[in-house]
Amino acid sequence: LREYPQNELLAHLLGYTGFLNNDELQNAKESAEDDQVGKTGLEKYYDEYLRGENGVQADVRDSLGRAIDTRVVNLPRKGNYLETYIDGEFQEYFYRRLASGIRSLNTRAGAVGIALDPRNGDVLALVSYPSYDNNLFVRPGNNKSRVALINDPNKPLFNRAVSGAYN
């Protein structure tokens, strides 16, 4: 399971994981219905690289169906690590300044910010406001909070930085 310690600061950039929906399950190779996959952000883009592989266990049963032995056929393989050029302190500063500016205008949404390194194009910070806590999608039991996010008129799940169309 993922844990996102920065909550709303990196939510749009990192994205979140969730269970496979029916379409994803039909198109996914070697996936089980209880697998978690990247749904948005870097989690989605690098899902195959980050996810790893499930292990395989075989249960040996007698003629009455009682388990008599368990054998590990394949051990699970941990996924890979991903390193980015995001500057955590700059990301936080950028987010806080953007949020403060939006609130000072007496509005609640519509801000976007991307900071690139002019020498090589590396993304140093990427902010969409309003944001959300991507930890809500990690564990079961947060349905009311998820529904509230989906129905929020400010659309905090919409990544304005990469999906918005602007002049």
Side-chain angles (χ1 to χ4, degrees):
L1 294 174
R2 300 281 198 263
E3 185 177 334
Y4 305 101
Q6 282 85 13
N7 298 340
E8 77 276 356
L9 295 177
L10 295 167
H12 290 99
L13 179 70
L14 296 179
Y16 56 87
T17 60
F19 292 110
L20 291 161
N21 63 34
N22 288 336
D23 291 338
E24 290 167 331
L25 189 57
Q26 289 175 358
N27 295 324
K29 55 184 177 198
E30 299 180 27
S31 290
E33 61 185 45
D34 62 344
D35 281 350
Q36 296 231 357
V37 297
K39 295 292 190 173
T40 64
L42 293 176
E43 290 281 14
K44 181 176 182 177
Y45 190 81
Y46 290 103
D47 180 66
E48 201 170 303
Y49 179 77
L50 292 169
R51 194 170 355 144
E53 294 177 9
N54 293 330
V56 177
Q57 174 178 302
D59 292 330
V60 179
R61 299 184 179 274
D62 64 15
S63 61
L64 297 174
R66 295 180 296 220
I68 56 174
D69 193 15
T70 298
R71 297 181 183 143
V72 175
V73 178
N74 289 327
L75 290 171
R77 185 183 63 80
K78 189 191 284 190
N80 296 299
Y81 292 96
L82 181 66
E83 243 179 86
T84 70
Y85 292 97
I86 299 299
D87 180 326
E89 290 177 15
F90 185 47
Q91 175 79 12
E92 182 174 3
Y93 171 80
F94 203 7
Y95 180 84
R96 302 279 182 230
R97 291 287 301 195
L98 207 49
S100 173
I102 290 298
R103 284 191 300 271
S104 73
L105 295 172
N106 261 349
T107 188
R108 292 183 294 243
V112 67
I114 302 173
L116 303 175
D117 185 332
R119 297 170 295 177
N120 55 21
D122 290 343
V123 177
L124 302 176
L126 184 143
V127 175
S128 180
Y129 190 85
S131 190
Y132 62 97
D133 180 358
N134 42 7
N135 287 299
L136 291 174
F137 296 94
V138 175
R139 289 184 171 39
N142 294 317
N143 288 344
K144 287 182 182 178
S145 298
R146 286 186 211 126
V147 169
L149 272 176
I150 290 167
N151 294 325
D152 187 326
N154 296 315
K155 302 188 184 320
L157 293 173
F158 181 62
N159 187 343
R160 290 165 173 84
V162 297
S163 300
Y166 307 100
N167 291 335

